[in-house]
Every structure is written in C-alpha cells, then in structure tokens.
Amino acid sequence: MATCSSDHTVKVWDLDEREQWQCTASWKAHSGSVWRVTWAHPEFGQVLATCSVDRAAIVWEELSSEANMTGRGGAKSSSNTWIKKTSLVDSRTSVTDVRFAPKHLGLQLAICSAEGIVRIYEATDVMNLSTWPVQVEFNCNICLSCLSWNPSRMHPPMIAVGSDSADNSAGGKVLIYECNDAARRWEKVETIFKVTEPVHDVKFAPNLGRSYHLLAIAAKELTILSLKNLKKDGNTNAGALSKFETRQIGSFDDHESVVWRVSWNITGTILASSGDDGCVRLWKANYLDNWKCFSVLKPDSNASEAEKATMQAGATMSTTPTSNVIRAAPPAGTMNIKRTSGWPFMNIKEDQGKMFY
Amino acid sequence: MASTVEREPSEFKLPVPNVGSVGLNCEWGLGQQLHVFQTQKSPANASGVQELKLGVENQSIFDIRWDAEMHDIARKLVNESHNIFVMLQGQVKSLAEPALDAQLRKASKHYRGVLKACQMELIQLAESCEDVTRKLKYDTYIQEFEIVQLIWSLCQIIFIDIAPGGLILKALLDWLQWHFPEGKYLAKEVCQDEQSCSHPKYWEAVFRLLLQGNTENVRLLLSLHTHSDAESFVAADELLRKMPHWTYQHAQSAAEFEMKWRHWREECIRRYEAGEFAAYAELEMIVQVLCGDEHVFRELKDYCETWYHLLVSKLLYQNPTVRLTDLTFHVKSSQAVFNQTGLSSQELDNILQAAFEFDIHQVIKDTCTYLSNPSWWFVAHLADLLHHCKQLDPQKLPFGSNLREYLLLEYATALMSHESLWQVGVDYLDFCPIFGSSYLESYIEHIPLDNERKALKVLHICVERKLSLQAQSVCKVMGMKCLRQERLGAALSWFLRSKDAVVIKQVTNKFLTEYCEQGKFSHLDLIDYLGPSMLITNSLTFLGKYREFHTMYDSGDLEGASSLLLSLISSRLAPKTFWMTLLMDALPLLDLPKVILNIQQTYEILHCLEELHRDGTASDESLSEAEVERAKVLRLALQKNLSRAIIEEGSIKIES
C-alpha cells in the first residue's frame, strides 16, 4: 500500500508474515504537498505515480534488491528503494490527479491539472520506464480536481473529470470524454449538469456485466449516476461518439458535510465515501437496486478496553464489528437475535403487496 | 421508497482520536475488506494552497473485515456445505423430476445434518474454552445455529417435503419434538426418581409430553403414579390409548381418520362431563386437553414456551387434519395468547409467521435482515434449494438477476476475502449464470499472488474456465516478480506461459546481456528444453540455437557448429548488441589447422562485420580500446582464413 502526504513524502507499506503492515519505504517525493498516489497494475512491475502542487507528476519504480528476498530466513531488510523513473513537467499549474489507465490499454497515465488540461502519457517500453511521450492533450476549460478512467473493456477508453471551481456560471462540473479511434482524438461526450457544487472526486465503478456505467461523484453531497450507452449495436459508423442516458440513482447527504473521496470495491457493488465529518460510510444496493448506507466507521477516542486489548502496538488490526461490545450472556432458553449490518431494512407491510418485483 | 422506519446503519468505532481536521479515509481490499487510515479531512484542492502541519503520531492502518468471522469458526460447515451444494447442482442438471425431488430432500437433510454437527462441535469447543470473550462468541453462534436449524426444518416441512394429502401435522409434531426436548429430559429425570409422583416436575413433564402428542410416554408416567390403579387413572389411560394417530403406514384416507378422531373426541368429552376424572384436578386438565378445550391451553401456555408450539399443540387436539394452506388462520389466535409476555423475540416470530403463511420471499428477506453472521450461508443455500424445488420465483429483479443469484453472489463475496476459502467462493460463482463469470474475472485478477503455489492454483482455475486474459495476466505478474528478484530463469518460464512476445523478447535480451557479462549461461536446462516455445520470438529462437551451437562445439562437431554459426550470423536473428560476441565466437573456428569455413562463408562474416561497424556505433572514436582490438584480431583471422580457403578451393587434389 502507498500513502502520500502533505509533508511532501510518500510511504510504502508491506504486509508481513504476521499480517501486520510495516512501512518499508519512505522518501521525499516532491517539493510540495503530494496530492495523490496511485499504483500501476502489477503486470508492469512495482510502479507508482504521484502528483503534487509543484506542477510535476513523477513515476517511481521499486529497485529490486537481493537482500529483501534472501531475508526470509535471516534478518529482514526493512527498506526498499524506489527510484524516480521519469518526471512529467508539462503542466504549468498544480497537478491535481494522476491515474493509470486500465491494464487492457497498456501502460498509460493520465494527469489533470488546475489549469484544466488533461494529458495522457504512454510508456514506450514496459521494461524501461524512462520514456513517457505525451500521446494526447486536451483542454477542458475549467479548473480540474480529479479524474477517473472507465475500467470497462467493452467500451472505448473513457475518462471522467471533475472540477472544484466555485464558479457557478461554468455549468456542469463533471465532464466525460471519450477516445474517438477514427479521429484519434478525445472528445467530450457528456456534461453532467446535475452536479453544480465543486467536485472533489469522481470514480467509475468496475463494470461487471452491467449494461450501464456507474459513476460516483463526491461534492457537497454524494451522488451516484448511471450512464447508459444509447448507441445501438451493429452501428458500424466508427466515427460516431457514444450518446449517454444519464440517470441519477441517488444523492445522499448522510455525511452532512462535504464528501472528499469515494472508492469502489472490486466488483463495483459497494461504495466507500469519506467526508468532512471524519467518517467513512459504506453504501450498497440491495437487489431492488436501491442504494443505502449500511455502515459507518467513526473515529472515537473512547474506544472500549476490549478493542484496545485485541490490538498490538504499531500497525494495528481490527476485527469485525460484532466483537466490539461485550454483552451479557443470553439467559438460557431464550433466543437472542442481534441485528447487524448487511441488508437495508425491509418494511413488511409495504412488501406484502408483492411490489418488490 | 421511503420506509416509515429507517434502520440506522451500523456504527463501528475506531480507536483513534477525533481531532480537528483529522478524518478517515479508506482503500478497498479483496472481498469485504477495507483498509482505513487517518488523513487530513480536507485535502486542500488546487486553488487553496494550505499546508497544514499535523503530525499524527504512530500512524497506523486498520484492516477491517465484516461478515467474515464465521468462516474461521465454522470452516467445516463452509466446506461440507460446499460439497453438498456442488453435488446438488450436478444433480439438478442430470436428473429429472421425481428423482430430483428425492435428491432435494436428501440435500436438505444433509445441510441440516452438517449444521447440527457443526453446532455440536462448537458446544464442545465452548465448554473447553478459557477465554471469556471467545466463549461468548461461541455461545452466540450456537444460539444462532439453533435458530437457523429451527427455521430450516420448518421450511423443509412447509416448502420442500410435500406430504401426501397435504396433511402436515405429523411432520410438525416431529419438528416440535426435535426442537423442544425439555419434556423428554424432564420425563427422564422424573422416571429415575424413586417416588416419581412427588417429584416437583412430575406434572410438568406429563403436560409437556402431552402437548407434544407423545401419548405413550404420558401413559408411562401416569402409570408410575401411586394412585395409578384408581378408576380415574385407568379411564384416562384408556382414553390415551385409544387416541388415533395419523401415520403414513395406515392407508387411511383423511376422511376416515377424521371420523375416527371425532368419534374418539366425543367419547372424551362424554366421559369428562360424566365426571369420571373429578377426583384429580390434573387428570381433569389432561382430559380437557384431549377434548381440545380452549381455556386449558391458555393455562398451559407456559409449558409451550412459544406461540408456534402452542399452535401445533392446539392443532393436534382441535384439528388434526389441518392442511398446509389452512395454517394461516390459526396463527393469529396462538400469537394473541403469547403477546403479553415479553420473552418472545419479534424477529424470529416474523420469520416463522411468514413461513406458516407460506410466504417464502418474506421468510428469506426477514432472515437476511435479522440473523447476523450465518445469514449469508443460510439464506444462500436455502434459496438455492428452494429455487430448484421451483418454489422461488425465478423472475429477474431490478439489479439484474434473480434472488437466488443475488444471495449466492453475496455469499461468495464474503468468502473471497478469506485467505484460503476463496477457492470455495470461486466454485459458488461458477453457478451464478449471469454475473458469476464477470465477478470471477475481476476477483481472480485481484487475488494476491503470495507464492508460486497460489499462483499455480489461480492459473489452474483460469485455465479450467477459459479465462485466458486473466491467465495471461497472472503469468505476467509472476514473471515480473521473478524479474525483480533477478531470477531470470523463473521469469522466463512464467513469461513463456503468458505467451506475450514483447516481454519475452526483453527477457531474452537480458539473458544475452548476462552471457556477455559473465561469459556463461545461467539457466542451461531451461534453454535446452525450450522446445516449440522457442519460436515465439526471434530472440528466443536465437538463444536456443546459440546454445545448440555451444553444445555442438563442445562435443567436437565442428562442421555442424560452424554451419549453425554461419546461419545464425547470416539470418541476423541476434540483437545488434550481441553481434560482436557472435563474431568473436567464429574466431576459434578460424584458427584450426583444417579449413572449416570456405570462401563464401568467410565473405559472409566479413560482410557482417562491416555492417556492424557501418551502422552501429557512430565512429571509431566512440568504440573502446578493447573493441577496436577485437575487431582488428577478427579481421586478421578472417583474412588468413580467406587466403587459406582460396588456396584450398583453388587447388586440385591429386590422388596418387
């Protein structure tokens, strides 16, 4: 796992044999706050990219070292070295987000900057990561704060960008661009007008067999949109762009404050959001496709003794929620059923009308 | 859809201070696993350039999982039920209607058997366990298993086992006797006592057994009474003996049985009103029960413990030929009797009520909501079973597939985050027709490949299911890992499996560079046995052939070696950087007493040398001393060979 911080450093953590996270590398990556860090697919090796307010995006690779591998029996060397492979300094303003493309597009990287320009780089040689020529550059004309690749294989490459500009006259704050193979250019296919607040994070969900794409937007509220491609199959007009039907699946203000980051799980069924209330909330759709928050993770300095007892110093681990509270043993002969997470509440009266189909 | 009562999302507190601008953020692991860490609440955006200096001491990352604890505790349950599940799916495919029904019933019994066995094991574990918290955990699980078994057996009676004629009372009685064994225990205890009738629990045992329809044992107990010879007792005994029981063996129709039963009941009523049992209050109560009197049931409700017990008991004595479909009418009255007490738990009642009302979807929904950890296991398997019994509506739901698939997917997801049960999860995904394969694809890609064995397992799974992209990806990842550890041989073998020409070419180049530096090959056996995979890329073919050249040379086959070397040089297979080495290999062949290379071949080599110097490195100055030396030596040798070859070929051999 890699973490980046506003103290200009990047840390890399490894899970050791005892299932504890140890920080195996830490270095000063930029001369300003590092905004984001992201991993490339392990197929390309151990590669990281970071972006920062110092207008640069840097690609790092881990240096292979013998000592680490032979250290199983002997003393384990606790530090790996990461070397800078290339520095992408085309931007004239702070680079706000850097993301690797889905692996089926090869080793590509997209960055967006505060001046509104998205640049896509591609590594010419996977084994030697020093050269990353710019492939595409397009201007969105609005200050950008985040971007997300669409991981779906069934669709031409698609990027969503979000803007945190406070200017309301600029219209929609989330824009969707698609790569038009015929014209070899990226073109804007959709503007999301429903979201008018400054946007801090956008994420496409992994698309597993669904006929539509899901996009999560973190702004003043958490919004989930579905984008359905209206292009009919068999349309051989290669130059035509997709048209989308956008539908808002949900808009949630449970955080009661600004939502900063969103993250999808692997199958795109659970969304995690973190906001200004300091909590992480988990959202899930039931089989009726209704999204609800089913769990909240809160920081609390008054954690009970029992929890403290189950954790060790240094890197710590928690177990599932049900083990937190010590309950009295249920009296014998009665059935004691707990309610826990996993399913939104069903109202029997409503459902008895067989309306759930 | 706004429900009137919003359920609160469950809260989970992390023991980190809630300070000012420090909040939480998270990253996903595999399955239902989250890594949560502290972060600055407002990562300053591009426009604001605020860099807050926070220092969080001893920053740590929390690994959070949910709904996954059961899998550690009840591993055996997971594995065995998995076996049953897979077998069932196979039978569904191959068997036809009647045989399939039998199999389904058997499968249901198997599931319950496995559940019971697991529960027994847990009980033993809990007894021998020292740690208080763990013991509590075990206890809660045992309770939950008990509930699950209760629900499952009821579901089996109502939804799966179709009794002939729809008369289900016998089955329900069995169900009661299985799950409310208190009566039996008490009876045993009482029997062992000397003076049975004065045992404080004597009458309780009698009543409990009576309410469960266990008339044989009731008669036994009554006969232990000191006054068992009294007239009243004898009369009661006779009534009990005469009570008609519905059994499957007696081929009586329902109507016949009903008649008999009515006849018997009339006799009971007659004799009761005649006052035959007035001497003993308890006997009176017994006979009242036999008559099916409402009031006495209310009095005895404590021995029933729950409303469903009361329901069945009342049905036994008031309406033994009740049909499945008529059960709903009787539920309300039984529930009303119990509503005053606070012992009953709302959720379980709802589930059982839904079951009695034949509302299967409600059962499943409620079970999902109200049971905790075993819920996915239970619901997934039950739904699957009911689906095959054609009881569950296979209609497609808004999320894209039917209910059974949804539950199976949830169950598989819960298994995925487990370090070794993920393989079980994979099997479940195989049986989800719509979303299974795409879920599987994305999970397979994310499974951490900690070691070779695991990678091979994953690879095997991919190959079995023809997920070629994922297989390729796995091979590449493993190859890259080996490369990072400088294990070129292993890396090459992984990349060969992935059949990606570009990467293989680069690895081969690495091999060749290694040879240049060290003067020998490191993984001879790998290269020797490349076989047909040699042809994937030119570099690899070259490597293989080059090795062959070496073997030939070492074994003394100079003719073959030289012709091979020539073909290698002239085909230009080798990477440019390697040409010099290749050419230098020709040197020993030129110095032999016998002329091996003829004129044409020598010209070839010269040609190659010229080409190398012409378009390779820029000019003579950039070449190092050693290289220039080498080129000179080579040229000299080539010239000498050329002269000898010309002489030899030009001369006529005179045979004397």
Side-chain angles (χ1 to χ4, degrees), chain B residues 64-75:
Chain B
I64 300 196
R65 300 180 202 199
W66 60 94
D67 283 350
E69 212 178 30
M70 171 177 124
H71 306 305
D72 285 318
I73 293 181
R75 281 231 6 205

Side-chain angles (χ1 to χ4, degrees), chain B residues 170-288:
Chain B
K170 184 91 179 53
L172 283 177
L173 277 177
D174 285 337
W175 176 66
L176 267 191
Q177 283 180 5
W178 181 255
H179 286 281
F180 293 91
E182 185 76 9
K184 269 200 289 212
Y185 294 149
L186 276 180
K188 258 205 210 114
E189 206 184 297
V190 166
C191 282
Q192 282 160 1
D193 200 6
E194 279 272 328
Q195 272 273 323
S196 311
C197 62
S198 45
H199 194 290
K201 302 266 185 172
Y202 176 74
W203 285 111
E204 184 178 336
V206 171
F207 281 116
R208 273 185 189 267
L209 288 175
L210 185 65
L211 287 169
Q212 288 182 356
N214 199 344
T215 48
E216 289 299 317
N217 284 335
V218 172
R219 288 175 56 209
L220 189 63
L221 276 179
L222 284 178
S223 63
L224 291 175
H225 199 277
T226 41
H227 295 282
S228 58
D229 296 331
E231 266 194 33
S232 320
F233 271 86
V234 170
D237 188 65
E238 192 186 330
L239 280 179
L240 285 167
R241 191 168 39 89
K242 280 200 205 157
M243 176 169 177
H245 289 276
W246 169 264
T247 51
Y248 296 127
Q249 281 91 342
H250 298 163
Q252 355 165 278
S253 69
E256 268 181 46
F257 174 74
E258 175 127 13
M259 232 171 51
K260 271 203 203 150
W261 180 78
R262 279 198 195 285
H263 193 72
W264 169 82
R265 199 164 82 138
E266 271 165 27
E267 188 183 338
C268 290
I269 296 179
R270 198 172 29 86
R271 289 173 85 156
Y272 172 70
E273 280 171 0
E276 281 188 31
F277 311 97
Y280 298 93
E282 290 91 357
L283 277 187
E284 271 204 336
M285 274 177 81
I286 291 181
V287 182
Q288 275 178 321

Side-chain angles (χ1 to χ4, degrees), chain B residues 574-604:
Chain B
K576 274 271 166 70
T577 45
F578 203 70
W579 278 8
M580 202 57 213
T581 326
L582 206 56
L583 291 171
M584 293 307 290
D585 279 331
L587 207 50
L589 293 175
L590 298 168
D591 285 339
L592 294 169
K594 184 166 177 301
V595 175
I596 308 280
L597 299 170
N598 63 15
I599 304 176
Q600 200 57 37
Q601 291 167 332
T602 323
Y603 274 129
E604 275 284 337

Side-chain angles (χ1 to χ4, degrees), chain B residues 73-74 115-129 135 137-143 145:
Chain B
I73 293 181
L115 197 52
K116 185 83 191 165
C118 195
Q119 188 189 10
M120 300 266 87
E121 223 181 88
L122 266 190
I123 291 178
Q124 279 188 339
L125 255 180
E127 274 168 17
S128 60
C129 178
K135 208 175 159 87
K137 238 195 277 184
Y138 287 144
D139 281 337
T140 38
Y141 276 109
I142 293 171
Q143 292 267 354
F145 282 160

Side-chain angles (χ1 to χ4, degrees), chain A residues 304-315:
Chain A
S304 70
E305 279 305 316
E307 289 164 56
K308 290 235 176 75
T310 59
M311 303 189 197
Q312 293 114 3

Side-chain angles (χ1 to χ4, degrees), chain A residues 92-161:
Chain A
R92 279 185 294 280
T93 53
S94 154
V95 180
T96 48
D97 201 354
V98 59
R99 295 278 154 204
F100 281 101
K103 119 177 117 91
H104 62 268
L105 295 176
L107 189 53
Q108 289 193 39
L109 188 63
I111 66 174
C112 68
S113 60
E115 63 193 344
I117 301 188
V118 173
R119 295 185 173 81
I120 302 183
Y121 299 84
E122 181 163 7
T124 45
D125 182 358
V126 169
M127 290 284 162
N128 175 7
L129 297 175
S130 323
T131 44
W132 290 75
V134 174
Q135 305 285 66
V136 176
E137 195 175 300
F138 54 88
N139 194 342
C140 307
N141 297 320
I142 192 174
C143 149
L144 297 175
S145 64
C146 49
L147 77 86
S148 169
W149 288 87
N150 188 348
S152 162
R153 258 190 269 265
M154 307 295 154
H155 201 92
M158 198 154 92
I159 289 186
V161 291

